[in-house]
Amino acid sequence: MLQPRPRNSRRRALQGSAAVFVAFGLLLWWLLPLGEKSPGGTISISTGTQNGVYQLYGELLQKALAKDMPGLDVTLETSEGSQQNVQRVATGEADFTIAAADAVERYVLDHGEGAALLRGCARLYDDYVHVVVPRTSSVESIEQLRGKRVAVGQPGSGVRLVANHVLKAAELDPQKDIRPVSAGIATMPELLETGRIDAFFWSGGLPTSAVTDLSHRFDIRLVPIGPELVKKLHEQRGEAGYYRSAVVPPDAYHKAQAGDPVQTVAVANLLVTHAGTDPALTEGVTRAVINSRDRIGEKVHAAQRVDLRTAIYTDPLDLHEGAGRYYRSVKP
């Protein structure tokens, strides 16, 4: 005959079950930190020109965010590039953007509207300055662009900013010593191919598809920007301090480089937001950027260089509170 279980035993069993449920709930909370708190609503990301790397990166990030935060509606806004992107976020026209560090610093130094409220989320990948000419061109150096028709990017673009600095480093006045043409990467290749310009500046991740496509139908090459010009760039101070010597590797544009590396200048890109952006939202966006690196990198090869160890360095901007929360959560 079975004896009744002692009351103390039943109490201990109930207490044990309750402890299990509490532990299970805590485990779910830890594994699903966003849970029901996953941000919703609508945000905008200012990207770049239609055929540029910023736009493609934005499209792929939009897909990553749709997977990670399904309640979030993300709209993309094309732009002329970094300078316009920074202005949009600073003034509240966009919530997030990608911008080169030199353009961010220029906006801060100019005391642009809302500059003090700009915050960084992540250091992404480097942009490399391209100076593209027909293979048959006599131009072998930046100094030899004197008198040439040169596309220097649209007003408000990061290309225009860096082109002006590089030309000045070569002792060329961007308005007087060349024949400047306002054009972006959407039209530069065709202008060069049809002989309406002699060269164009571009600053973007490697490789930029528009340059690759041009090299497959028209013989081009890259004009080097040597260390001596980088030294002169740094003498300009201000945002020029964010430029560094770099090398376009031999396989970036196989047909354009004929297997040779090309000296140039690089500058870091940052994911930028506003100080007033919701910390939970910024944490989620930063997480999506880092976690989607490999998926985005399949299409935007430069994104493969996004590194958790260096992403936290968003100079010249302070790190946003939500981004800092993410980096602390994944710290070993």
Side-chain angles (χ1 to χ4, degrees):
M1 181 175 179
L2 294 176
Q3 298 296 321
R5 179 182 291 184
R7 184 175 300 175
N8 287 343
S9 298
R10 289 198 298 270
R11 183 182 297 117
R12 284 194 297 269
L14 289 172
Q15 289 174 342
S17 298
V20 169
F21 280 116
V22 170
F24 182 69
L26 289 173
L27 179 61
L28 285 178
W29 177 83
W30 177 257
L31 292 175
L32 302 172
L34 291 179
E36 295 181 355
K37 297 180 181 179
S38 178
T42 300
I43 64 167
S44 63
I45 301 177
S46 187
T47 56
T49 56
Q50 193 61 48
N51 295 330
V53 177
Y54 284 0
Q55 175 65 16
L56 179 56
Y57 189 99
E59 292 170 357
L60 296 169
L61 178 58
Q62 184 183 41
K63 293 179 181 178
L65 290 171
K67 180 179 179 181
D68 288 0
M69 291 184 281
L72 193 65
D73 183 18
V74 180
T75 62
L76 303 181
E77 302 290 341
T78 58
S79 76
E80 297 301 340
S82 285
Q83 293 191 82
Q84 186 177 33
N85 283 345
V86 174
Q87 184 268 338
R88 282 180 175 176
V89 171
T91 58
E93 295 178 51
D95 300 295
F96 293 88
T97 195
I98 305 170
D102 60 332
V104 174
E105 178 73 346
R106 181 70 267 156
Y107 194 84
V108 171
L109 292 174
D110 285 344
H111 303 289
E113 181 183 354
L117 298 175
L118 291 168
R119 295 291 184 271
C121 299
R123 175 174 175 161
L124 300 176
Y125 57 88
D126 288 344
D127 274 350
Y128 288 71
V129 179
H130 303 53
V131 182
V132 182
V133 297
R135 183 166 294 281
T136 56
S137 172
S138 62
V139 175
E140 299 287 346
S141 67
I142 302 300
E143 290 83 355
Q144 292 176 352
L145 290 174
R146 184 182 297 273
K148 303 295 185 182
R149 299 164 299 171
V150 184
V152 290
Q154 297 279 17
S157 69
V159 178
R160 176 68 65 93
L161 182 64
V162 70
N164 285 346
H165 277 297
V166 171
L167 290 166
K168 289 175 183 177
E171 300 183 359
L172 296 175
D173 186 308
Q175 296 301 318
K176 298 178 181 179
D177 293 331
I178 65 167
R179 295 160 64 185
V181 176
S182 292
I185 196 63
T187 57
M188 286 174 177
E190 182 185 359
L191 293 174
L192 188 75
E193 188 176 6
T194 56
R196 286 177 283 174
I197 58 174
D198 302 302
F200 69 77
F201 276 84
W202 169 246
S203 181
L206 296 177
T208 295
S209 60
V211 177
T212 300
D213 293 345
L214 175 63
S215 72
H216 288 159
R217 64 177 188 266
F218 183 68
D219 284 339
I220 59 171
R221 56 184 172 82
L222 304 181
V223 178
I225 302 174
E228 68 283 355
L229 282 188
V230 177
K231 180 179 179 181
K232 291 182 179 180
L233 280 170
H234 289 168
E235 291 172 358
Q236 296 174 15
R237 302 185 181 278
E239 68 273 12
Y242 287 90
Y243 303 132
R244 62 175 179 81
S245 290
V247 175
V248 179
D251 58 349
Y253 302 104
H254 177 72
K255 292 182 70 66
Q257 296 175 248
D260 295 324
V262 178
Q263 287 280 338
T264 191
V265 171
V267 60
N269 278 306
L270 309 175
L271 181 66
V272 179
T273 192
H274 189 278
T277 306
D278 176 56
L281 172 62
T282 305
E283 180 181 5
V285 171
T286 306
R287 177 182 291 105
V289 165
I290 302 300
N291 289 348
S292 63
R293 180 193 66 180
D294 293 339
R295 294 196 302 274
I296 292 178
E298 291 176 359
K299 297 289 184 67
V300 180
H301 298 311
Q304 295 172 0
R305 297 186 178 276
V306 175
D307 190 330
L308 182 60
R309 293 168 297 181
T310 58
I312 196 170
Y313 299 110
T314 57
D315 188 53
L317 297 179
D318 291 336
L319 196 65
H320 190 280
E321 174 190 351
R325 183 190 300 174
Y326 164 72
Y327 293 118
R328 288 191 296 273
S329 75
V330 295
K331 185 177 180 180

mmCIF file of all heavy atoms in Angstrom, residues 199-228:
data_model
loop_
_atom_site.group_PDB
_atom_site.id
_atom_site.type_symbol
_atom_site.label_atom_id
_atom_site.label_comp_id
_atom_site.label_asym_id
_atom_site.label_seq_id
_atom_site.Cartn_x
_atom_site.Cartn_y
_atom_site.Cartn_z
ATOM 1 N N ALA A 199 39.391 62.302 -67.456
ATOM 2 C CA ALA A 199 39.679 61.530 -66.241
ATOM 3 C C ALA A 199 38.515 61.707 -65.276
ATOM 4 O O ALA A 199 37.730 62.653 -65.404
ATOM 5 C CB ALA A 199 40.966 62.013 -65.588
ATOM 6 N N PHE A 200 38.417 60.778 -64.327
ATOM 7 C CA PHE A 200 37.459 61.012 -63.246
ATOM 8 C C PHE A 200 37.991 60.512 -61.921
ATOM 9 O O PHE A 200 38.782 59.565 -61.859
ATOM 10 C CB PHE A 200 36.074 60.420 -63.552
ATOM 11 C CG PHE A 200 35.953 58.919 -63.576
ATOM 12 C CD1 PHE A 200 35.908 58.167 -62.404
ATOM 13 C CD2 PHE A 200 35.825 58.243 -64.788
ATOM 14 C CE1 PHE A 200 35.743 56.781 -62.432
ATOM 15 C CE2 PHE A 200 35.667 56.858 -64.834
ATOM 16 C CZ PHE A 200 35.621 56.128 -63.648
ATOM 17 N N PHE A 201 37.567 61.218 -60.866
ATOM 18 C CA PHE A 201 37.835 60.814 -59.492
ATOM 19 C C PHE A 201 36.662 59.991 -58.983
ATOM 20 O O PHE A 201 35.503 60.303 -59.252
ATOM 21 C CB PHE A 201 37.989 62.036 -58.581
ATOM 22 C CG PHE A 201 39.352 62.654 -58.566
ATOM 23 C CD1 PHE A 201 39.722 63.568 -59.532
ATOM 24 C CD2 PHE A 201 40.267 62.338 -57.562
ATOM 25 C CE1 PHE A 201 40.973 64.169 -59.515
ATOM 26 C CE2 PHE A 201 41.522 62.919 -57.530
ATOM 27 C CZ PHE A 201 41.883 63.845 -58.512
ATOM 28 N N TRP A 202 36.976 58.951 -58.231
ATOM 29 C CA TRP A 202 35.956 58.189 -57.522
ATOM 30 C C TRP A 202 36.550 57.717 -56.213
ATOM 31 O O TRP A 202 37.733 57.378 -56.135
ATOM 32 C CB TRP A 202 35.484 56.993 -58.351
ATOM 33 C CG TRP A 202 34.623 56.031 -57.570
ATOM 34 C CD1 TRP A 202 34.918 54.741 -57.219
ATOM 35 C CD2 TRP A 202 33.334 56.304 -57.017
ATOM 36 N NE1 TRP A 202 33.899 54.205 -56.494
ATOM 37 C CE2 TRP A 202 32.901 55.136 -56.346
ATOM 38 C CE3 TRP A 202 32.498 57.430 -57.013
ATOM 39 C CZ2 TRP A 202 31.686 55.065 -55.682
ATOM 40 C CZ3 TRP A 202 31.282 57.353 -56.347
ATOM 41 C CH2 TRP A 202 30.884 56.184 -55.709
ATOM 42 N N SER A 203 35.738 57.711 -55.156
ATOM 43 C CA SER A 203 36.165 57.181 -53.868
ATOM 44 C C SER A 203 35.136 56.159 -53.435
ATOM 45 O O SER A 203 33.965 56.497 -53.203
ATOM 46 C CB SER A 203 36.265 58.313 -52.835
ATOM 47 O OG SER A 203 36.708 57.816 -51.587
ATOM 48 N N GLY A 204 35.552 54.899 -53.330
ATOM 49 C CA GLY A 204 34.605 53.845 -53.002
ATOM 50 C C GLY A 204 35.304 52.573 -52.579
ATOM 51 O O GLY A 204 36.531 52.448 -52.651
ATOM 52 N N GLY A 205 34.515 51.616 -52.150
ATOM 53 C CA GLY A 205 35.045 50.323 -51.749
ATOM 54 C C GLY A 205 35.577 49.548 -52.943
ATOM 55 O O GLY A 205 35.255 49.842 -54.099
ATOM 56 N N LEU A 206 36.417 48.571 -52.643
ATOM 57 C CA LEU A 206 37.022 47.740 -53.693
ATOM 58 C C LEU A 206 36.336 46.379 -53.768
ATOM 59 O O LEU A 206 36.141 45.732 -52.737
ATOM 60 C CB LEU A 206 38.513 47.525 -53.402
ATOM 61 C CG LEU A 206 39.399 48.757 -53.427
ATOM 62 C CD1 LEU A 206 40.832 48.376 -53.051
ATOM 63 C CD2 LEU A 206 39.375 49.434 -54.794
ATOM 64 N N PRO A 207 36.012 45.956 -54.983
ATOM 65 C CA PRO A 207 35.984 46.776 -56.196
ATOM 66 C C PRO A 207 34.651 47.495 -56.326
ATOM 67 O O PRO A 207 33.639 47.039 -55.781
ATOM 68 C CB PRO A 207 36.149 45.737 -57.307
ATOM 69 C CG PRO A 207 35.458 44.514 -56.757
ATOM 70 C CD PRO A 207 35.699 44.532 -55.262
ATOM 71 N N THR A 208 34.621 48.595 -57.034
ATOM 72 C CA THR A 208 33.376 49.283 -57.362
ATOM 73 C C THR A 208 32.890 48.740 -58.700
ATOM 74 O O THR A 208 33.633 48.773 -59.688
ATOM 75 C CB THR A 208 33.591 50.801 -57.445
ATOM 76 O OG1 THR A 208 33.951 51.295 -56.143
ATOM 77 C CG2 THR A 208 32.325 51.504 -57.917
ATOM 78 N N SER A 209 31.673 48.233 -58.729
ATOM 79 C CA SER A 209 31.181 47.529 -59.922
ATOM 80 C C SER A 209 31.181 48.408 -61.163
ATOM 81 O O SER A 209 31.443 47.921 -62.267
ATOM 82 C CB SER A 209 29.776 46.982 -59.665
ATOM 83 O OG SER A 209 28.874 48.029 -59.363
ATOM 84 N N ALA A 210 30.902 49.705 -61.007
ATOM 85 C CA ALA A 210 30.868 50.591 -62.182
ATOM 86 C C ALA A 210 32.243 50.694 -62.832
ATOM 87 O O ALA A 210 32.352 50.786 -64.062
ATOM 88 C CB ALA A 210 30.363 51.978 -61.772
ATOM 89 N N VAL A 211 33.293 50.671 -62.021
ATOM 90 C CA VAL A 211 34.661 50.725 -62.569
ATOM 91 C C VAL A 211 35.019 49.381 -63.198
ATOM 92 O O VAL A 211 35.625 49.324 -64.275
ATOM 93 C CB VAL A 211 35.662 51.107 -61.463
ATOM 94 C CG1 VAL A 211 37.092 51.102 -62.013
ATOM 95 C CG2 VAL A 211 35.320 52.485 -60.894
ATOM 96 N N THR A 212 34.631 48.294 -62.528
ATOM 97 C CA THR A 212 34.875 46.965 -63.099
ATOM 98 C C THR A 212 34.188 46.816 -64.453
ATOM 99 O O THR A 212 34.803 46.361 -65.429
ATOM 100 C CB THR A 212 34.357 45.874 -62.142
ATOM 101 O OG1 THR A 212 35.030 45.978 -60.886
ATOM 102 C CG2 THR A 212 34.599 44.487 -62.722
ATOM 103 N N ASP A 213 32.922 47.202 -64.520
ATOM 104 C CA ASP A 213 32.158 47.085 -65.770
ATOM 105 C C ASP A 213 32.800 47.923 -66.878
ATOM 106 O O ASP A 213 32.890 47.476 -68.025
ATOM 107 C CB ASP A 213 30.715 47.524 -65.553
ATOM 108 C CG ASP A 213 29.948 46.586 -64.632
ATOM 109 O OD1 ASP A 213 30.440 45.461 -64.391
ATOM 110 O OD2 ASP A 213 28.875 46.983 -64.140
ATOM 111 N N LEU A 214 33.232 49.132 -66.531
ATOM 112 C CA LEU A 214 33.883 49.987 -67.530
ATOM 113 C C LEU A 214 35.150 49.327 -68.063
ATOM 114 O O LEU A 214 35.411 49.340 -69.278
ATOM 115 C CB LEU A 214 34.214 51.346 -66.911
ATOM 116 C CG LEU A 214 35.002 52.326 -67.796
ATOM 117 C CD1 LEU A 214 34.196 52.702 -69.038
ATOM 118 C CD2 LEU A 214 35.392 53.571 -66.999
ATOM 119 N N SER A 215 35.929 48.721 -67.181
ATOM 120 C CA SER A 215 37.196 48.110 -67.596
ATOM 121 C C SER A 215 36.995 46.935 -68.540
ATOM 122 O O SER A 215 37.892 46.583 -69.310
ATOM 123 C CB SER A 215 37.985 47.653 -66.364
ATOM 124 O OG SER A 215 37.394 46.514 -65.758
ATOM 125 N N HIS A 216 35.807 46.321 -68.509
ATOM 126 C CA HIS A 216 35.517 45.174 -69.366
ATOM 127 C C HIS A 216 35.113 45.584 -70.788
ATOM 128 O O HIS A 216 35.140 44.763 -71.705
ATOM 129 C CB HIS A 216 34.422 44.314 -68.752
ATOM 130 C CG HIS A 216 34.882 43.540 -67.556
ATOM 131 N ND1 HIS A 216 34.014 43.037 -66.608
ATOM 132 C CD2 HIS A 216 36.124 43.200 -67.138
ATOM 133 C CE1 HIS A 216 34.702 42.410 -65.675
ATOM 134 N NE2 HIS A 216 35.984 42.504 -65.969
ATOM 135 N N ARG A 217 34.746 46.852 -70.958
ATOM 136 C CA ARG A 217 34.328 47.287 -72.300
ATOM 137 C C ARG A 217 35.196 48.407 -72.864
ATOM 138 O O ARG A 217 35.060 48.767 -74.039
ATOM 139 C CB ARG A 217 32.858 47.740 -72.261
ATOM 140 C CG ARG A 217 32.582 48.948 -71.400
ATOM 141 C CD ARG A 217 31.105 49.372 -71.478
ATOM 142 N NE ARG A 217 30.877 50.636 -70.805
ATOM 143 C CZ ARG A 217 30.489 50.770 -69.537
ATOM 144 N NH1 ARG A 217 30.261 49.679 -68.802
ATOM 145 N NH2 ARG A 217 30.309 51.970 -69.010
ATOM 146 N N PHE A 218 36.102 48.945 -72.016
ATOM 147 C CA PHE A 218 36.913 50.089 -72.446
ATOM 148 C C PHE A 218 38.240 50.020 -71.702
ATOM 149 O O PHE A 218 38.263 49.796 -70.489
ATOM 150 C CB PHE A 218 36.168 51.393 -72.123
ATOM 151 C CG PHE A 218 36.873 52.644 -72.571
ATOM 152 C CD1 PHE A 218 37.025 52.930 -73.924
ATOM 153 C CD2 PHE A 218 37.352 53.560 -71.636
ATOM 154 C CE1 PHE A 218 37.658 54.103 -74.332
ATOM 155 C CE2 PHE A 218 37.981 54.729 -72.036
ATOM 156 C CZ PHE A 218 38.130 54.993 -73.392
ATOM 157 N N ASP A 219 39.355 50.210 -72.394
ATOM 158 C CA ASP A 219 40.672 50.104 -71.772
ATOM 159 C C ASP A 219 40.949 51.317 -70.884
ATOM 160 O O ASP A 219 41.037 52.450 -71.373
ATOM 161 C CB ASP A 219 41.766 49.983 -72.834
ATOM 162 C CG ASP A 219 41.827 48.599 -73.446
ATOM 163 O OD1 ASP A 219 41.328 47.656 -72.799
ATOM 164 O OD2 ASP A 219 42.363 48.470 -74.570
ATOM 165 N N ILE A 220 41.092 51.055 -69.588
ATOM 166 C CA ILE A 220 41.373 52.115 -68.630
ATOM 167 C C ILE A 220 42.548 51.723 -67.749
ATOM 168 O O ILE A 220 42.990 50.574 -67.750
ATOM 169 C CB ILE A 220 40.151 52.397 -67.720
ATOM 170 C CG1 ILE A 220 39.759 51.132 -66.945
ATOM 171 C CG2 ILE A 220 38.983 52.956 -68.520
ATOM 172 C CD1 ILE A 220 38.705 51.361 -65.869
ATOM 173 N N ARG A 221 43.034 52.679 -66.987
ATOM 174 C CA ARG A 221 44.030 52.403 -65.956
ATOM 175 C C ARG A 221 43.851 53.405 -64.818
ATOM 176 O O ARG A 221 43.121 54.405 -64.960
ATOM 177 C CB ARG A 221 45.457 52.468 -66.513
ATOM 178 C CG ARG A 221 45.824 53.761 -67.184
ATOM 179 C CD ARG A 221 47.226 53.699 -67.790
ATOM 180 N NE ARG A 221 47.516 54.862 -68.603
ATOM 181 C CZ ARG A 221 47.927 56.035 -68.109
ATOM 182 N NH1 ARG A 221 48.116 56.163 -66.799
ATOM 183 N NH2 ARG A 221 48.169 57.050 -68.901
ATOM 184 N N LEU A 222 44.502 53.136 -63.707
ATOM 185 C CA LEU A 222 44.414 53.988 -62.529
ATOM 186 C C LEU A 222 45.687 54.813 -62.391
ATOM 187 O O LEU A 222 46.792 54.279 -62.510
ATOM 188 C CB LEU A 222 44.215 53.143 -61.272
ATOM 189 C CG LEU A 222 43.017 52.185 -61.251
ATOM 190 C CD1 LEU A 222 42.964 51.444 -59.913
ATOM 191 C CD2 LEU A 222 41.719 52.939 -61.484
ATOM 192 N N VAL A 223 45.514 56.099 -62.131
ATOM 193 C CA VAL A 223 46.655 56.990 -61.910
ATOM 194 C C VAL A 223 47.050 56.914 -60.438
ATOM 195 O O VAL A 223 46.188 57.059 -59.556
ATOM 196 C CB VAL A 223 46.287 58.442 -62.279
ATOM 197 C CG1 VAL A 223 47.466 59.382 -61.997
ATOM 198 C CG2 VAL A 223 45.876 58.529 -63.745
ATOM 199 N N PRO A 224 48.328 56.683 -60.140
ATOM 200 C CA PRO A 224 48.740 56.531 -58.738
ATOM 201 C C PRO A 224 48.710 57.851 -57.959
ATOM 202 O O PRO A 224 48.897 58.933 -58.522
ATOM 203 C CB PRO A 224 50.160 55.987 -58.840
ATOM 204 C CG PRO A 224 50.656 56.466 -60.176
ATOM 205 C CD PRO A 224 49.453 56.467 -61.073
ATOM 206 N N ILE A 225 48.455 57.729 -56.663
ATOM 207 C CA ILE A 225 48.593 58.840 -55.713
ATOM 208 C C ILE A 225 49.649 58.388 -54.723
ATOM 209 O O ILE A 225 49.377 57.563 -53.841
ATOM 210 C CB ILE A 225 47.268 59.146 -54.997
ATOM 211 C CG1 ILE A 225 46.177 59.476 -56.018
ATOM 212 C CG2 ILE A 225 47.442 60.300 -54.014
ATOM 213 C CD1 ILE A 225 44.800 59.640 -55.399
ATOM 214 N N GLY A 226 50.847 58.884 -54.883
ATOM 215 C CA GLY A 226 51.993 58.387 -54.127
ATOM 216 C C GLY A 226 52.095 58.947 -52.720
ATOM 217 O O GLY A 226 51.401 59.898 -52.351
ATOM 218 N N PRO A 227 52.981 58.353 -51.899
ATOM 219 C CA PRO A 227 53.156 58.790 -50.504
ATOM 220 C C PRO A 227 53.531 60.252 -50.370
ATOM 221 O O PRO A 227 53.204 60.887 -49.363
ATOM 222 C CB PRO A 227 54.290 57.877 -49.997
ATOM 223 C CG PRO A 227 54.240 56.673 -50.892
ATOM 224 C CD PRO A 227 53.817 57.189 -52.233
ATOM 225 N N GLU A 228 54.223 60.804 -51.365
ATOM 226 C CA GLU A 228 54.609 62.218 -51.276
ATOM 227 C C GLU A 228 53.383 63.123 -51.268
ATOM 228 O O GLU A 228 53.362 64.170 -50.600
ATOM 229 C CB GLU A 228 55.550 62.591 -52.432
ATOM 230 C CG GLU A 228 54.933 62.603 -53.824
ATOM 231 C CD GLU A 228 54.731 61.221 -54.428
ATOM 232 O OE1 GLU A 228 55.160 60.233 -53.800
ATOM 233 O OE2 GLU A 228 54.148 61.147 -55.522
#
